[in-house]
Amino acid sequence: MSVVFVLLITLTVRAQNKPVQFEELKALQTIEPRPVVVLIRTDWCKYCHAMQNTMLSNPKISLLLRNKFYTVYLNAEEKKNIFFAGREFKFKSGVNELAGELATVNGRISYPTLCILNTKNEIIYQYGGFLSVKAMEYALKKIGSAAY
């Protein structure tokens, strides 16, 4: 009975599109290199919540993310320091420095921003604003099929 229970829990956890923290990426990339999808968002942005909900609940998007990418949700107003890619990013002037680097498009930060990094932590895709399901699926399929 306990073996069945453990198996069900394992399958349930595996079926979910579980986001990771930036600090976990180095170890994960060592085990299985994948591009990283970063949703830069804020707590007050309704479009950010809608995009995050799409990423979690849309079956096609969720499947692509689970099978091809690591996913990180970054609150741009995160006050704790974030350690990523050998650097420490701090909260300054109302925004975390990492959010500023990843969400700046044409000199401006907008929320939400979808940013995709290759396995070397270089930005390979960046879109500031709300992405429709169709546009998100297209981008994820295109990038997910490329070799990184």
Side-chain angles (χ1 to χ4, degrees), residues 24-39:
E24 299 173 272
L25 286 172
K26 184 175 182 179
L28 290 170
Q29 293 289 24
T30 302
I31 297 166
E32 183 180 357
R34 295 179 174 196
V36 179
V37 173
V38 183
L39 176 63

Side-chain angles (χ1 to χ4, degrees), residues 10-21 34-39 51-73 114 136 140:
T10 303
L11 290 174
T12 302
V13 169
R14 197 171 157 81
Q16 295 173 352
N17 180 24
K18 186 176 182 232
V20 299
Q21 300 297 313
R34 295 179 174 196
V36 179
V37 173
V38 183
L39 176 63
M51 268 187 64
Q52 184 171 335
N53 185 47
T54 296
M55 291 170 74
L56 289 169
S57 64
N58 181 283
K60 290 180 181 178
I61 301 296
S62 185
L63 183 66
L64 282 165
L65 290 171
R66 182 174 56 251
N67 292 335
K68 303 282 186 177
F69 300 90
Y70 294 116
T71 306
V72 179
Y73 300 126
L114 190 71
M136 189 183 304
L140 293 175

Side-chain angles (χ1 to χ4, degrees), residues 2 8 17 43 45 69 87-89 91 93 95 97 108 121-123 126 131 140-141:
S2 63
L8 286 174
N17 180 24
D43 290 335
C45 170
F69 300 90
R87 293 178 52 199
E88 180 179 17
F89 297 90
F91 180 77
S93 304
V95 67
E97 293 171 317
R108 288 185 17 176
N121 301 319
E122 300 164 332
I123 296 172
Q126 191 179 39
L131 260 175
L140 293 175
K141 280 183 177 178

Side-chain angles (χ1 to χ4, degrees), residues 78-146:
E78 178 63 59
K79 293 183 179 174
K80 72 174 181 121
N81 294 350
I82 298 172
F83 297 91
F84 175 62
R87 293 178 52 199
E88 180 179 17
F89 297 90
K90 298 178 180 189
F91 180 77
K92 289 185 179 175
S93 304
V95 67
N96 187 287
E97 293 171 317
L98 182 55
E101 286 193 23
L102 297 179
T104 300
V105 179
N106 296 325
R108 288 185 17 176
I109 296 176
S110 67
Y111 305 115
T113 294
L114 190 71
C115 184
I116 302 178
L117 309 173
N118 65 16
T119 57
K120 297 175 186 172
N121 301 319
E122 300 164 332
I123 296 172
I124 57 173
Y125 180 84
Q126 191 179 39
Y127 185 85
F130 183 82
L131 260 175
S132 69
V133 171
K134 190 174 183 177
M136 189 183 304
E137 182 181 359
Y138 176 80
L140 293 175
K141 280 183 177 178
K142 188 129 177 112
I143 293 166
S145 66

